């Protein structure tokens, strides 16, 4: 046994497990914040943002699935939707 065996990095603690109710509350909060952000947009901006999010989600899901399977598809869709929404908003402004 070496002296470094006592100092091994164990990684961050994950903490207590969160249940499905916690996830549902977070999803509801995220939805409310996202919809509230569109309140002061014009109809053209809302349309462009929605179209960008849909196109980005589809492209992200395809690229994520190709590179990392089903987990990558979900992650890619989420990232693509965010990037697409931002791009659609900027394009329609």
């Amino acid at each position: 046994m070496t002296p470094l065996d006592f100092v091994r990095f164990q990684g961050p603690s994950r903490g207590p497990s969160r249940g499905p109710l916690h996830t549902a509350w977070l999803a509801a909060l995220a939805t409310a914040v996202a919809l509230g952000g569109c309140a002061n947009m014009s109809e053209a901006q809302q349309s462009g943002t929605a179209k960008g999010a849909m196109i980005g989600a589809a492209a992200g899901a395809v690229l994520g699935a190709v590179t990392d399977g089903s987990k990558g598809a979900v992650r890619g869709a989420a990232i693509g939707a965010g990037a697409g929404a931002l791009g659609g908003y900027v394009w329609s402004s």
Side-chain angles (χ1 to χ4, degrees):
M1 183 176 276
T2 66
L4 292 178
D5 287 337
F6 295 106
V7 192
R8 288 189 188 173
F9 178 68
Q10 298 297 321
S13 173
R14 289 189 175 258
S17 177
R18 308 244 195 253
L21 184 61
H22 183 263
T23 304
W25 277 107
L26 285 177
L29 179 64
T31 302
V33 169
L35 292 176
C38 297
N40 294 330
M41 293 175 138
S42 69
E43 208 169 301
Q45 289 172 327
Q46 288 178 0
S47 175
T49 302
K51 288 176 186 174
M54 288 188 292
I55 293 168
V62 169
L63 290 174
V66 168
T67 60
D68 196 23
S70 63
K71 284 186 178 181
V74 172
R75 190 178 306 122
I79 293 170
L86 180 63
Y89 172 75
V90 171
W91 183 267
S92 64
S93 291

